[in-house]
Amino acid sequence: ENFLNELPQSLRKPLVEQLQQLGNVDYAKNFVERAWGVDGNFSKAEILNSNMGSHLFRSIVTVNPEATIKVLTKNYLDKPKDYLVTIVEGRQNIVWALERLCFRKETFIEAAKVLMCFSVAEIETYYSNNATDYFTQLFRIFLAGTETNFEPRIEVLKWALEKNDPDFDEIIVKACERAFTPIHSIHKMGGAENQGGLLPLEEYKPHTVEEINEYRTEIIEILLNFVSKENNHQLAAQRAIYSNIIDLFEYNFNIEKLDKYIKVICENIIDKDDFIKSMYSQVSSINLNINQRNFLTGYIELLKTNSIEERILYNVSEPRIIIKSIKDEDDYEVKGKKLAEQFAVDVINEKID
């Protein structure tokens, strides 16, 4: 610790840069294990929690991933949230180190668990650069920041689910939501794939549509733990499924299976208006076939009450919801005018006060 504190500022950057290049040196793994392994002088929590100590550690994690993940697991896995929120100075470097270890198959599970613990104890407000963003992106279909396949990712979520902890449950739902992120909406900075080897590591790419749908089935099954029972994440879990139906259709997700899931949501619906708005929004997609479109409209009709309040909402207050789903040649204003006129006629004919 004294060595790190006394190291001149001018030497710190060159030292870090040299350490990052040790990946191809034969003796490097042994050196890193002696210095930064579980029994190493530089692997104590108080050193890792410092700015310089964490910076050095971040630089050498990929030289000996097996040894360094043991250190992170020992110091941070399942530690109290009250403790993890106190880690400020070295936090970003630790998170970046975990991001690198999550990229590798052999260290993914333990690194993801530790990263999730930091996410539960999140203190960073800049979302795209914090533990929560790095952790939840691991569950995307494409460009997830890992070379591991879907099976270990599900294992991590099931591990968290078994904790029966509301804080972990919140992160579980956020992670599941990202399994539905369409590829055109993904923006990702590179870097973690470059780990000191001759070639960068490669992102995992699913081999078949069936593999994607099997993964998403597991994700939905996890979300169902929150869908049908009263809890703080019930609405978020329901919305994660019903707002992404067209993304499921993109890969021809089994419509009978999806029907079963949506019925469970409808039986326990938290926000009916949000559900109907989502159905109207999705039914306007030009890429739907007739069966998929009928699936969406069927659930609109199932939950609509046709009360005067509801009809005012969809025909007058927020007509764009229905307008988007109308397939004709009229422009937006003409469609809106037709809706309002027809509603006025209905009010008169039905003698609505």
Side-chain angles (χ1 to χ4, degrees):
E1 186 174 4
N2 291 335
F3 163 75
L4 296 179
N5 291 331
E6 294 172 4
L7 190 67
Q9 188 74 30
S10 60
L11 294 180
R12 293 182 180 184
K13 184 176 179 181
L15 176 60
V16 168
E17 290 175 348
Q18 289 301 311
L19 287 171
Q20 290 175 332
Q21 304 304 317
L22 288 176
N24 293 318
V25 180
D26 292 338
Y27 65 81
K29 281 194 173 185
N30 291 332
F31 168 71
V32 166
E33 185 160 12
R34 288 198 303 272
W36 281 278
V38 172
D39 299 318
N41 292 329
F42 301 140
S43 62
K44 297 176 182 178
E46 55 268 27
I47 294 178
L48 295 185
N49 295 347
S50 69
N51 183 53
M52 188 58 195
S54 62
H55 196 177
L56 288 172
F57 187 82
R58 182 189 102 197
S59 303
I60 55 83
V61 288
T62 58
V63 177
N64 192 332
E66 293 82 2
T68 51
I69 188 56
K70 290 178 183 177
V71 171
L72 292 170
T73 299
K74 175 184 175 181
N75 287 329
Y76 305 115
L77 183 63
D78 290 329
K79 291 296 188 284
K81 177 180 177 180
D82 290 345
Y83 165 67
L84 293 178
V85 297
T86 66
I87 300 172
V88 178
E89 188 177 342
R91 186 184 190 90
Q92 190 66 77
N93 285 319
I94 294 170
V95 168
W96 282 336
L98 287 165
E99 180 196 14
R100 291 183 169 189
L101 292 172
C102 283
F103 209 105
R104 307 177 75 94
K105 285 186 287 190
E106 63 269 24
T107 51
F108 173 83
I109 290 178
E110 293 306 312
K113 288 178 180 179
V114 177
L115 185 58
M116 189 177 195
C117 291
F118 274 97
S119 177
V120 165
E122 189 64 80
I123 61 173
E124 299 286 347
T125 56
Y126 188 62
Y127 180 70
S128 65
N129 203 26
N130 63 16
T132 302
D133 182 57
Y134 285 134
F135 176 76
T136 57
Q137 81 166 16
L138 296 172
F139 298 87
R140 297 193 301 211
I141 301 293
F142 300 101
L143 297 178
T146 182
E147 63 177 1
T148 192
N149 62 28
F150 298 133
E151 193 173 321
R153 307 185 211 183
I154 293 296
E155 182 179 334
V156 171
L157 292 180
K158 288 182 176 179
W159 163 82
L161 195 61
E162 289 176 358
K163 290 180 173 293
N164 197 28
D165 183 320
D167 290 330
F168 277 85
D169 290 344
E170 180 180 358
I171 306 302
I172 290 170
V173 173
K174 287 182 177 180
C176 288
E177 288 173 351
R178 299 193 80 171
F180 303 104
T181 306
I183 191 167
H184 60 78
S185 299
I186 293 176
H187 305 282
K188 181 178 179 294
M189 297 290 289
E193 68 275 14
N194 298 311
Q195 303 211 359
L198 295 176
L199 295 172
L201 301 178
E202 292 188 3
E203 296 265 5
Y204 181 75
K205 296 178 182 177
H207 300 95
T208 65
V209 167
E210 288 75 21
E211 185 183 3
I212 294 173
N213 287 329
E214 286 173 9
Y215 173 59
R216 284 178 162 173
T217 296
E218 295 247 39
I219 289 290
I220 293 173
E221 294 285 351
I222 289 172
L223 286 170
L224 287 179
N225 287 278
F226 307 101
V227 162
S228 57
K229 63 181 180 181
E230 186 175 344
N231 62 90
N232 292 335
H233 315 296
Q234 189 173 11
L235 175 58
Q238 292 183 359
R239 186 179 285 153
I241 300 171
Y242 69 66
S243 65
N244 289 294
I245 291 176
I246 59 173
D247 296 310
L248 291 166
F249 284 159
E250 182 181 1
Y251 293 99
N252 295 315
F253 192 89
N254 185 281
I255 201 165
E256 287 79 16
K257 185 186 293 185
L258 181 58
D259 186 49
K260 180 184 71 173
Y261 296 142
I262 301 300
K263 281 179 178 175
V264 173
I265 293 175
C266 290
E267 290 167 0
N268 302 275
I269 195 71
I270 296 298
D271 191 337
K272 187 187 68 173
D273 287 338
D274 184 72
F275 180 96
I276 294 174
K277 290 176 184 178
S278 178
M279 294 302 104
Y280 270 125
S281 176
Q282 293 180 81
V283 82
S284 66
S285 172
I286 62 173
N287 297 319
L288 298 178
N289 63 41
I290 187 64
N291 290 333
Q292 293 168 342
R293 197 175 303 282
N294 288 342
F295 179 90
L296 294 168
T297 55
Y299 276 104
I300 293 173
E301 295 304 317
L302 176 68
L303 289 190
K304 277 174 61 179
T305 62
N306 283 322
S307 65
I308 184 62
E309 293 84 6
E310 188 176 82
R311 292 162 73 182
I312 289 173
L313 173 66
Y314 295 130
N315 291 279
V316 180
S317 301
E318 297 188 41
R320 66 182 182 279
I321 298 169
I322 294 182
I323 288 172
K324 288 176 64 179
S325 67
I326 299 175
K327 301 298 178 184
D328 60 31
E329 299 301 322
D330 291 331
D331 61 25
Y332 187 94
E333 290 186 3
V334 173
K335 289 178 182 179
K337 182 180 179 182
K338 285 183 176 180
L339 274 177
E341 289 174 346
Q342 184 58 51
F343 178 65
V345 172
D346 292 342
V347 168
I348 294 171
N349 292 340
E350 297 173 29
K351 299 180 180 179
I352 299 173
D353 293 329

